[in-house]
């Protein structure tokens, strides 16, 4: 039934190593996780591996640890001169390479500065910065003194920033004057100033003078001179020397991060220190098999969880050299990321399906145009990857040479739960499947009543806590219980729809609340969208259910055609035929609308919820995390126009 499920690309091993590890974890989960925890350095070892009072898990109780110590201090004796970050600004001549020793020095300075401002363990700090090295420096400085960071993606509006500051009562905001995006100057400080009108808790603002918008010392000539803010360099340059890392208990929060908001109001996800770090570290090694000589390029913005776990914490705990890029992938051209891979000789490239679909639209064989021979591994995260897109990634970027790791996870899970563990061994790959749960992850698919099913679609659950599981939702234990632990007994419910096949491979089929219910059948959005995207004229597609008196729901598709396709009535017909032949008549879209873009979150995820509201004449609801308001206007216009045409026919 699933498009592409029959195609198996050969892996290199039989899975014995992975199975051994999974068996070992299943036999003695606590012993297994304790072993993983010992890969980190603790000031004091825990008394209890797991204190499990459902649904609250507390890992490595009474263990004392510090994240910045593990990410930096540990490496100084042997790897201090290794490059931590190759930073590339959007403008090509802006480039910096920073060693672990330099990172350590800066983090200590900022940490001392924060202490002098009166910041204490447990205080919340909102960080609203572009992709510059000072962003991870600020994060590591916070956690060095035991403060809790809440990174707010720099693309968010003043209102979204204010909501997040207020929800956590942040005492301090760390920001920059601005940054470059597609050649334009984005003024961040203006957003901060406007957000602060609605925020009572903030006592100080530290501003990095990234562009010199407010003059060279950051202070003169400014429209924000009233706001009490401190120039990053004025402040930090006054400090030098060591800042003793705070010894925090394993379950003290490391950070708060708001989910990307696809399904509605964002939730303030709280992660622990010891458990989170243990899990991020273990999965990073299992998935990427990280080596000392690796140059690792994860394209995620640090404002999202992927950036927290797999740009900052896990790579730095492993003294990995990372590439950090300030700009967008298609500016000035779609070659940008590939130029960076060439320039820095990246060995690992980790990105999103949404970016791949964008790159695919241009019909370029990137590996033929660029020297991508340094790469050894590709990865993807964020949405289900359509088999067609997977195969394109494999061919046009991987030259059928590189394994692909599809990593399924959420902000709430801390790090990946289901992924091809290429660092252990590369299993046979199935385009579109995230493959198997990682060791220690007891995942299953269940029906409405909670009974496990195989070969049938259902709801993904996780039956046992793991160290990366969130602590709670900030300030709202009840919402944590209700959202994740009330749907099925004693199981974590991520609200994703999925299927396990005969080989035990997991297929993520879309979000559970977006499942299409047509004449008694259920279809994941991913199934229908992948059948549409497999059409050679289609770049992207989103499907939603429209309430139908007879069938329950009928399928409505929004389709972005590739460049150069204009014959819509023909195309409409051939897309419908294509869906019918791959999934059957049941999956036939009742209506297809052609648009030039789909509404997406700032993290690039399709917001089907908005499309569904439009076709069902419902309230659109929260749109604060929408990337581009114009997309929703276009969808509405196209929808209205066609509807008028249909009713007048
Ligand atoms: P909100 O919870 O506020 O709606 P969000 O779910 O988009 O926001 P994230 O935590 O960033 O916020 O995204 C997690 C979700 O992304 C998963 O629940 C899943 O639906 C989807 N996802 C992530 N990675 C994959 C993947 N490899 N395959 C399939 N789906 C994925
Ligand atoms: Mg979610």
């Amino acid at each position: 039934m699933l498009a592409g499920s029959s195609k198996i690309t050969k892996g290199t091993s039989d899975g014995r190593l992975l199975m051994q590890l999974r068996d070992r974890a299943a036999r003695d989960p606590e012993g297994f996780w304790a072993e993983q925890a010992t890969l980190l350095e603790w000031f004091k070892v825990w008394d209890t591996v797991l204190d499990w009072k459902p649904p609250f898990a507390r890992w490595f109780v009474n263990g004392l640890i510090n994240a910045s110590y593990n990410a930096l201090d540990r490496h100084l004796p042997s790897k201090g001169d290794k490059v931590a970050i190759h930073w590339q600004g959007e403008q090509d001549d802006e480039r910096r390479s920073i060693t672990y020793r330099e990172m350590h020095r800066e983090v200590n300075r900022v940490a001392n500065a924060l202490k002098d401002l009166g910041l204490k363990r447990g205080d919340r700090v909102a960080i609203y910065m572009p992709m510059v090295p000072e962003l991870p420096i600020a994060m590591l400085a916070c956690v060095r003194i035991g403060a809790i960071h809440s990174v707010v993606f720099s693309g968010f509006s003043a209102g979204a920033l204010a909501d997040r500051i207020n929800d956590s009562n942040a005492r301090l905001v760390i920001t920059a004057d601005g940054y470059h995006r597609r050649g334009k100057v984005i003024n961040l400080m203006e957003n901060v100033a406007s957000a602060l009108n609605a925020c009572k808790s903030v006592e100080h603002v530290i501003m990095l003078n990234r562009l010199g918008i407010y003059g060279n010392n950051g202070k003169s000539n400014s429209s924000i001179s009233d706001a009490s803010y401190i120039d990053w360099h004025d402040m930090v340059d006054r400090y030098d020397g060591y800042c003793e890392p705070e010894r925090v208990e394993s379950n003290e929060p490391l950070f708060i991060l708001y989910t990307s908001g696809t399904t509605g109001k964002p939730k303030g996800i709280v992660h622990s220190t010891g458990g989170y770090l243990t899990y991020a570290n273990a999965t990073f090694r299992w998935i990427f098999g990280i080596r000392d000589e690796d140059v690792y390029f994860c394209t995620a913005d640090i404002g999202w969880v992927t950036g927290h776990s797999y740009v900052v914490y896990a790579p730095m705990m492993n003294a990995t050299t990372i590439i950090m890029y300030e700009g967008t992938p298609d500016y000035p051209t779609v070659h940008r990321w590939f130029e960076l891979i060439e320039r820095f000789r990246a060995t690992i490239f980790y990105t999103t399906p949404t970016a791949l679909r964008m790159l695919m639209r241009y019909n370029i064989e990137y590996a033929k145009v660029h020297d991508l021979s340094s790469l050894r591994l590709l990865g993807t995260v964020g949405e289900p990857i359509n088999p067609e897109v997977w195969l394109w990634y494999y061919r046009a970027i991987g030259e059928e040479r590189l394994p692909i790791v599809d990593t399924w996870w959420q902000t709430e899970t801390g790090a990946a739960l289901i992924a091809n563990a290429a660092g252990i061994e590369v299993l046979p790959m199935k385009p579109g499947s995230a493959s198997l749960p990682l060791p220690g992850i007891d995942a299953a698919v269940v029906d409405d009543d909670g009974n496990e099913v195989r070969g049938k679609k259902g709801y993904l659950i996780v039956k046992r806590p793991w160290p990366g599981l969130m602590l709670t939702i900030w300030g709202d234990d009840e919402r944590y219980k209700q959202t994740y632990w009330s749907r099925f007994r004693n199981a974590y419910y991520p609200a994703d729809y999925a299927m396990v096949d005969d080989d035990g491979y997991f297929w993520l089929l879309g979000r559970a609340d977006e499942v299409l219910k047509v004449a008694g059948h259920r279809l994941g959005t991913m199934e229908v969208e992948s059948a549409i995207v497999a059409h050679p004229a289609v770049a992207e597609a989103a499907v939603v259910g429209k309430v139908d008196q007879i069938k329950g729901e009928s399928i409505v598709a929004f389709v972005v055609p590739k460049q150069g396709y204009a014959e819509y009535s023909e195309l409409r017909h051939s897309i419908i035929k294509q869906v019918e032949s791959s999934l059957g008549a049941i999956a036939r879209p009742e209506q297809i609308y052609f648009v030039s873009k789909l509404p997406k979150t700032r993290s690039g995820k399709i917001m089907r919820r908005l499309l569904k509201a439009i076709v069902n004449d419902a309230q659109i609801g929260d749109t604060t995390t929408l990337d581009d308001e114009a997309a929703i206007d276009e969808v509405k216009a196209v929808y209205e126009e066609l509807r008028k045409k249909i009713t007048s026919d």
Side-chain angles (χ1 to χ4, degrees):
M1 182 100 176
L2 288 158
S5 61
S6 55
K7 295 177 200 144
I8 300 186
T9 310
K10 63 174 189 315
T12 50
S13 65
D14 58 4
R16 214 174 317 152
L17 274 174
L18 182 65
M19 292 312 149
Q20 276 170 8
L21 211 56
R22 293 178 67 188
D23 284 349
R24 152 109 183 74
R27 267 198 319 274
D28 173 21
E30 293 186 16
F32 176 77
W33 289 122
E35 240 168 56
Q36 299 305 319
T38 56
L39 295 173
L40 309 182
E41 234 174 89
W42 298 75
F43 300 120
K44 175 182 168 284
V45 172
W46 52 89
D47 306 331
T48 313
V49 174
L50 171 64
D51 171 21
W52 176 224
K53 295 195 182 69
F56 297 96
R58 299 296 175 251
W59 288 90
F60 312 117
V61 180
N62 290 329
L64 300 180
I65 190 165
N66 182 281
S68 93
Y69 181 87
N70 273 278
L72 301 171
D73 302 49
R74 245 192 337 159
H75 310 316
L76 295 192
S78 60
K79 293 183 185 161
D81 297 323
K82 188 173 173 185
V83 171
I85 302 177
H86 286 304
W87 178 76
Q88 173 69 59
E90 189 180 87
Q91 297 181 348
D92 202 53
D93 56 354
E94 287 189 303
R95 237 175 271 169
R96 281 159 75 187
S97 290
I98 302 166
T99 65
Y100 272 93
R101 198 179 316 284
E102 289 164 337
M103 281 290 287
H104 181 262
R105 179 167 176 224
E106 286 302 301
V107 166
N108 275 272
R109 281 178 145 171
V110 179
N112 279 327
L114 297 185
K115 268 186 161 169
D116 240 29
L117 284 176
L119 266 284
K120 298 184 314 293
R121 188 159 163 169
D123 285 342
R124 274 80 59 204
V125 177
I127 304 180
Y128 184 56
M129 292 182 104
M131 285 288 278
V132 290
E134 285 78 4
L135 168 52
I137 289 171
M139 293 162 77
L140 292 172
C142 287
V143 302
R144 192 161 189 93
I145 66 165
I148 303 168
H149 61 69
S150 161
V151 178
V152 179
F153 172 56
S154 60
F156 278 146
S157 64
L161 173 63
D163 286 350
R164 286 161 178 75
I165 290 174
N166 286 333
D167 189 66
S168 66
N169 275 309
R171 290 183 64 192
L172 172 72
V173 176
I174 307 180
T175 188
D177 55 349
Y179 62 100
H180 292 126
R181 187 177 160 85
R182 297 182 201 282
K184 284 205 299 252
V185 167
I186 306 290
N187 186 322
L188 269 188
M189 191 58 202
E190 234 164 54
N191 286 352
V192 173
S194 141
L196 289 192
N197 292 327
C199 300
K200 298 230 162 3
S201 59
V202 176
E203 296 159 35
H204 305 282
V205 177
I206 297 179
M207 185 192 82
L208 175 76
N209 188 13
R210 156 89 184 88
L211 298 179
I213 296 177
Y214 300 103
N216 281 337
N217 65 357
K219 293 214 168 173
S220 57
N221 200 6
S222 105
S223 53
I224 42 115
S225 54
D226 301 351
S228 116
Y229 73 94
I230 305 158
D231 180 82
W232 171 293
H233 286 292
D234 274 1
M235 169 107 196
V236 171
D237 292 354
R238 287 208 304 271
Y239 296 89
D240 217 345
Y242 183 68
C243 172
E244 185 72 31
E246 198 73 19
R247 302 176 173 218
V248 304
E249 198 275 333
S250 172
N251 295 284
E252 287 181 53
L254 186 70
F255 63 82
I256 303 171
L257 182 64
Y258 291 81
T259 55
S260 65
T262 313
T263 50
K265 206 146 186 59
K267 307 173 261 301
I269 305 303
V270 187
H271 276 291
S272 74
T273 303
Y276 168 83
L277 293 175
T278 295
Y279 193 66
N281 179 60
T283 56
F284 186 63
R285 292 168 172 234
W286 293 335
I287 296 169
F288 300 107
I290 206 72
R291 305 169 189 162
D292 196 35
E293 65 275 17
D294 274 323
V295 177
Y296 167 88
F297 186 15
C298 170
T299 65
D301 192 287
I302 292 174
W304 310 119
V305 74
T306 305
H308 279 55
S309 303
Y310 294 130
V311 176
V312 180
Y313 287 108
M316 298 207 171
M317 283 190 289
N318 287 281
T320 303
T321 297
I322 67 164
I323 297 171
M324 182 175 181
Y325 172 52
E326 181 187 36
T328 48
D330 54 352
Y331 183 87
T333 72
V334 288
H335 294 278
R336 197 66 173 126
W337 282 348
F338 304 99
E339 289 162 2
L340 300 184
I341 292 171
E342 272 189 283
R343 173 170 301 163
F344 298 112
R345 306 292 297 158
T347 58
I348 300 174
F349 180 62
Y350 186 29
T351 192
T352 62
T354 201
L356 293 171
R357 289 190 298 255
M358 184 279 290
L359 292 168
M360 198 174 146
R361 215 177 288 175
Y362 295 88
N363 261 324
I364 299 170
E365 301 280 320
Y366 295 93
K368 293 218 169 75
V369 184
H370 298 277
D371 175 10
L372 306 183
S373 61
S374 57
L375 288 174
R376 68 170 180 83
L377 185 62
L378 302 175
T380 156
V381 60
E383 286 182 294
I385 183 163
N386 319 95
E388 199 66 23
V389 179
W390 193 102
L391 289 166
W392 178 83
Y393 195 15
Y394 189 62
R395 221 194 44 248
I397 296 176
E399 289 189 295
E400 301 186 20
R401 166 177 77 85
L402 306 177
I404 297 179
V405 291
D406 178 2
T407 62
W408 176 86
W409 57 298
Q410 313 178 289
T411 310
E412 295 89 332
T413 68
L417 298 194
I418 303 176
N420 200 335
I424 301 170
E425 56 185 333
V426 180
L427 292 191
M429 296 174 284
K430 303 191 187 190
S433 164
S435 81
L436 304 179
L438 290 171
I441 299 304
D442 196 359
V445 170
V446 297
D447 63 17
D448 280 292
D449 303 320
N451 303 311
E452 266 186 63
V453 290
R454 262 206 181 201
K456 271 206 213 134
K457 294 176 270 184
Y459 308 95
L460 181 63
I461 60 164
V462 188
K463 295 185 286 183
R464 204 201 300 272
W466 63 99
L469 172 65
M470 64 195 293
L471 289 172
T472 186
I473 292 177
W474 182 258
D476 202 345
D477 285 352
E478 203 43 48
R479 190 173 179 205
Y480 166 72
K481 279 193 210 165
Q482 280 307 320
T483 310
Y484 307 105
W485 295 90
S486 65
R487 178 70 177 82
F488 297 105
R489 249 190 64 196
N490 292 330
Y492 173 80
Y493 174 54
D496 275 0
Y497 201 55
M499 193 196 78
V500 185
D501 70 14
D502 290 340
D503 299 323
Y505 277 50
F506 282 64
W507 296 79
L508 280 304
L509 303 177
R511 293 169 192 262
D513 59 355
E514 293 171 348
V515 163
L516 307 157
K517 302 175 198 83
V518 187
H521 292 266
R522 292 185 187 200
L523 292 159
T525 49
M526 158 75 166
E527 299 175 80
V528 185
E529 287 166 7
S530 288
I532 299 176
V533 170
H535 191 287
V538 174
E540 260 191 315
V543 298
V544 295
K546 180 179 164 131
V547 177
D548 181 296
Q549 297 303 342
I550 299 153
K551 290 199 285 190
E553 275 181 346
S554 67
I555 299 175
V556 176
F558 292 85
V559 171
V560 180
K562 280 192 188 149
Q563 289 174 327
Y565 289 90
E567 274 306 315
Y568 286 172
S569 58
E570 257 307 298
L571 189 51
R572 190 170 275 122
H573 186 69
S574 75
I575 288 173
I576 289 172
K577 268 182 54 190
Q578 158 123 358
V579 174
E580 281 183 343
S581 72
S582 69
L583 295 173
I586 193 78
R588 178 183 203 278
E590 234 17 75
Q591 196 50 260
I592 295 180
Y593 298 98
F594 292 102
V595 290
S596 69
K597 48 182 173 279
L598 296 168
K600 291 185 181 168
T601 59
R602 292 303 307 243
S603 57
K605 296 178 182 193
I606 299 171
M607 280 170 109
R608 293 178 197 79
R609 172 173 68 81
L610 302 182
L611 300 172
K612 194 166 180 175
I614 291 172
V615 305
N616 289 295
D617 289 322
Q619 288 294 323
I620 285 199
D622 186 23
T623 56
T624 45
T625 61
L626 196 65
D627 179 42
D628 181 358
E629 292 280 345
I632 203 76
D633 294 339
E634 184 193 338
V635 164
K636 274 188 198 156
V638 170
Y639 177 72
E640 281 309 321
E641 193 185 312
L642 252 158
R643 193 161 68 157
K644 271 190 223 130
K645 221 162 59 195
I646 292 163
T647 41
S648 66
D649 278 351

